[in-house]
Amino acid sequence: MRFRVDPLPLPGTYRGTAIVVDVIRATTTAALYLKAGATALVLARGAEAARALRQDGEILAGEVGGLPPEGFDLGNSPREVDGVVGKVVVMATTNGTRAVHAAMGARWILLGSLQNARAVAERAVATGEEVHLVCAGKEGQVALDDLYAAGVIGRHLQALGFFPEGEMAHLALCLAVNPPLPVLSVSEAAQALVRVGLGEDVAECARVDVHGVVPRFLGMRGEGMVFGG
């Protein structure tokens, strides 16, 4: 079996298993919401869609320009996931949740990060499908941090018997031989967080294989994609 790495989402092209990666920060934080006790995630394309999807008693989380939009309960920080036990989290971010919607059509959609890299690779292999690692990018541009995280996940896939296909897969694997924090720290996503005072999130996103929670797509709720652990 093979895996590919898409440096940016390619809507309408996914049929097997898609692992969506927005390591700084959406897919990292999404898994941590479930780890912290959220019952489900509803991922919206954007902030207005999230407001429309939110039901009574649900948590509204996400960011625009790195910061929580007006009226949101939480931002998109992996260091701020308390208060979600027993709650549904409706989430919208600038890049990550849009990338998840772009993966629609895949038989399986999983959310991957450095924190769950080994676990998401194992879950993907268990589907028996070829794997697409879908990098969210940053506002339409290729993101170093996502390519790096895709490479770390790809190394786990290799160890499980999968073979890289295409130049981007090999490039991501080459990036992944480096330690995580120095690579992530020079990415545009990290620098943008530093500018809004959230630079500490980068070190949290750079932690590798620290838990086994893998968000997986369960179905639609209106225009929102529902994920569980």
Side-chain angles (χ1 to χ4, degrees):
M1 298 293 281
R2 299 178 180 179
F3 69 91
R4 295 185 59 85
V5 173
D6 293 334
L8 290 171
L10 298 172
T13 67
Y14 301 108
R15 297 295 179 267
T17 295
I19 301 174
V20 182
V21 180
D22 184 10
V23 67
I24 304 177
R25 299 168 289 171
T27 55
T28 300
T29 304
L32 289 174
Y33 284 140
L34 293 175
K35 185 175 183 290
T39 58
L41 308 173
V42 181
L43 303 190
R45 291 181 185 273
E48 290 306 314
R51 289 188 179 100
L53 283 165
R54 182 193 198 179
Q55 298 179 0
D56 289 345
E58 296 182 345
I59 301 291
L60 194 56
E63 56 78 28
V64 172
L67 298 172
E70 183 177 353
F72 275 47
D73 304 299
L74 294 170
N76 185 33
S77 173
R79 297 180 296 114
E80 298 176 0
V81 296
D82 294 333
V84 301
V85 176
K87 302 282 189 178
V88 172
V89 177
V90 181
M91 186 176 180
T93 70
T94 304
N95 303 295
T97 58
R98 287 185 171 91
V100 177
H101 278 263
M104 285 291 292
R107 188 183 301 271
W108 301 88
I109 304 174
L110 308 173
L111 305 187
S113 67
L114 291 176
Q115 289 197 358
N116 71 355
R118 183 187 304 275
V120 77
E122 291 172 348
R123 180 70 66 89
V125 168
T127 68
E129 304 274 356
E130 292 195 347
V131 176
H132 295 263
L133 287 154
V134 183
C135 298
K138 181 166 175 56
E139 298 173 14
Q141 301 298 312
V142 175
L144 171 64
D145 50 308
D146 291 342
L147 274 178
Y148 175 82
V152 173
I153 297 169
R155 286 170 67 88
H156 286 307
L157 289 170
Q158 274 191 309
L160 294 166
F162 274 56
F163 296 94
E165 180 180 4
E167 290 185 354
M168 281 298 167
H170 289 282
L171 173 59
L173 291 171
C174 288
L175 283 173
V177 303
N178 296 286
L181 187 55
V183 177
L184 265 59
S185 294
V186 298
S187 69
E188 175 54 34
Q191 294 303 307
L193 287 181
V194 170
R195 289 193 290 271
V196 297
L198 292 171
E200 291 182 21
D201 283 0
V202 178
E204 182 66 24
C205 293
R207 299 170 65 211
V208 179
D209 293 333
V210 295
H211 67 76
V213 177
V214 179
R216 61 187 178 90
F217 177 53
L218 302 177
M220 300 296 294
R221 194 182 87 182
E223 296 298 316
M225 296 177 67
V226 180
F227 281 75

